[in-house]
Amino acid sequence: MAMNCLDESTSGSITSSSFTVKRSMENSCQMGSGSSAKSNSEIGIEADSKKLPSSKYKGVVPQPNGRWGAQIYDKHQRVWLGTFDEEEQAAKAYDIAALRFRGQNAITNLQHTLEPHKDANELYFLNSHSKDEIVDMLRKHSYTHELEQSEYNICASHGTRKRHRDNWLMDTPVSESELFDVAKEYLFEKVVTPSDVGKLNRLVIPKQQAEKYFPLPTESAAKGVLLNFEDSIGKVWRFRYCYWSSSQSYVLTKGWSKFVKEKSLKAGDRVSFHRSMGPDKKFFIGWRPRNGSSFVEVLDKVKSSASIQAVKVVRLFGVNILETPTSSFVTNNI
DNA sequence: AGCTGTGTTGAA
DNA sequence: TCAACACAGCTG
């Protein structure tokens, strides 16, 4: 996976132009005219050194206890990205923040290998979340995990694409609300369990996501509410959504089994949830098989099936919209 | 008590 | 915009 090495792993890769690490081995041993200078550059911090070792990485600052902090500046203000055991982890945290805050051409610390598909997915993931959310993940060291949980499901785009097709084709002006309607924000994805597709006729929504994206007023928790989700072909699914206090879980109940049946959902498949970025905040549901295509793989299919080399990119409201003769997709916003 | 992350400053 | 430095205040 591309550059998801914040937490434990060590190999990293972020697409970012062709940046090479310039700053290297200086900065690390300026202890006045000290004699014990070298110790700092090799080990994190020495027993009783006064001065903290500088990092060779941008956005990385030493902590008194030998750990490393990461920070980035935005709008004249420092944004703290958390503390890390390893200098490289802090450097990667900075890199990720830089990509989110400054776009994919941002200068990053590490030379990253080129993995177009994965990197594009990651950029899409990055830009589907607010700066605050990304910073949160970095500080909680959960970025890697959330990225892995989240590959974009292209199925969720077909419906609106179809309905807006004429507008794109005829090159007529498209209203702002329609554009917002096309633009969808990725919320989360769940790999469905055997019981999610079994006889219980319900889908468990992970608690954290449920409370974040589908808040349920306590008075309607037991009874539940009806939520509409539009699928990849524009069909609207209506599910009862409620809280089961017995199992302390949020679930989609009534209507869910029909979805399972019609889509032939199997355990291990992925179901994703999206929300339009317009004022109406419609929900969308998508799904794909266990090893289904990633966002970019599908994009490539779109390109080849349309027999075109280049996809026109229109940037509006901070969102890139890929336009082809027959379709439009929303991709990374900067 | 130890650590995080902010307040602050000077340099680029 | 950036990192160095000091340490207030938070956390466990």
Side-chain angles (χ1 to χ4, degrees):
Chain A
M1 29 233 70
M3 80 179 183
N4 55 352
C5 0
L6 243 205
D7 305 319
E8 279 82 29
S9 54
T10 40
S11 71
S13 60
I14 300 178
T15 304
S16 92
S17 49
S18 49
F19 173 76
T20 42
V21 182
K22 291 183 197 133
R23 2 162 133 236
S24 47
M25 43 191 44
E26 49 189 320
N27 261 351
S28 8
C29 14
Q30 70 272 66
M31 313 241 331
S33 56
S35 40
S36 59
K38 66 152 191 283
S39 56
N40 272 348
S41 61
E42 289 169 359
I43 323 167
I45 196 169
E46 252 335 272
D48 47 5
S49 15
K50 277 298 184 96
K51 204 168 168 92
L52 294 169
S54 295
S55 174
K56 62 189 176 204
Y57 296 117
K58 188 175 165 65
V60 176
V61 292
Q63 290 296 96
N65 57 352
R67 302 184 76 221
W68 299 89
Q71 61 187 20
I72 190 170
Y73 285 80
D74 187 48
K75 313 250 195 78
H76 310 293
Q77 285 230 299
R78 173 176 50 198
V79 178
W80 187 252
L81 304 173
T83 52
F84 304 86
D85 287 333
E86 301 301 324
E87 198 177 352
E88 285 72 22
Q89 293 177 315
K92 283 167 190 160
Y94 173 86
D95 288 356
I96 290 161
L99 290 177
R100 179 59 185 86
F101 282 63
R102 298 168 185 175
Q104 56 187 305
N105 295 320
I107 290 176
T108 54
N109 284 303
L110 303 160
Q111 177 68 60
H112 305 285
T113 67
L114 222 60
E115 295 181 78
H117 286 192
K118 287 170 182 172
D119 284 347
N121 268 348
E122 179 151 8
L123 288 172
Y124 186 83
F125 171 81
L126 272 174
N127 292 303
S128 302
H129 292 82
S130 67
K131 292 176 183 177
D132 278 353
E133 287 172 320
I134 297 297
V135 168
D136 244 36
M137 296 179 208
L138 295 174
R139 290 176 72 150
K140 293 190 304 206
H141 297 203
S142 67
Y143 176 82
T144 301
H145 181 72
E146 300 219 25
L147 171 63
E148 282 169 354
Q149 294 296 306
S150 75
E151 286 173 64
Y152 180 70
N153 183 350
I154 196 68
C155 297
S157 278
H158 293 303
T160 34
R161 176 163 48 104
K162 194 174 176 185
R163 281 190 281 102
H164 289 283
R165 170 177 170 172
D166 290 341
N167 283 338
W168 296 108
L169 269 179
M170 300 187 304
D171 199 31
T172 53
V174 181
S175 77
E176 185 173 316
S177 67
E178 280 174 318
L179 276 172
F180 275 127
D181 190 37
V182 172
K184 281 195 282 301
E185 169 191 20
Y186 167 89
L187 299 180
F188 64 94
E189 180 177 78
K190 184 185 184 188
V191 176
V192 299
T193 65
S195 62
D196 285 333
V197 296
K199 291 173 184 155
L200 295 177
N201 297 326
R202 58 99 176 103
L203 171 74
V204 172
I205 307 290
K207 193 161 195 166
Q208 198 180 344
Q209 337 275 28
E211 288 173 352
K212 185 168 178 185
Y213 301 115
F214 306 144
L216 197 53
T218 37
E219 59 270 22
S220 44
K223 181 158 56 103
V225 296
L226 289 175
L227 294 182
N228 292 331
F229 295 88
E230 185 174 319
D231 76 3
S232 56
I233 55 174
K235 178 169 178 175
V236 174
W237 296 84
R238 170 168 290 213
F239 303 127
R240 177 176 299 282
Y241 170 62
C242 58
Y243 182 72
W244 282 356
S245 50
S246 58
S247 52
Q248 302 199 339
S249 50
Y250 294 89
V251 286
L252 294 182
T253 58
K254 189 168 182 292
W256 173 248
S257 59
K258 214 171 139 197
F259 184 86
V260 171
K261 190 175 175 192
E262 178 162 324
K263 307 296 186 191
S264 298
L265 269 195
K266 303 286 185 293
D269 290 351
R270 299 149 186 269
V271 176
S272 61
F273 294 90
H274 309 253
R275 183 172 57 197
S276 61
M277 312 212 309
D280 47 324
K281 296 286 183 235
K282 287 198 299 183
F283 287 125
F284 295 84
I285 184 170
W287 70 276
R288 65 190 163 96
R290 179 190 296 269
N291 293 312
S293 302
S294 68
F295 172 61
V296 171
E297 286 162 345
V298 177
L299 255 194
D300 287 345
K301 285 180 200 160
V302 169
K303 283 193 214 170
S304 57
S305 69
S307 307
I308 49 172
Q309 285 302 307
V311 175
K312 181 178 171 189
V313 178
V314 183
R315 180 176 294 183
L316 278 164
F317 311 113
V319 175
N320 286 346
I321 295 176
L322 308 189
E323 185 178 358
T324 74
T326 57
S327 62
S328 63
F329 289 94
V330 178
T331 179
N332 54 307
N333 58 326
I334 301 299

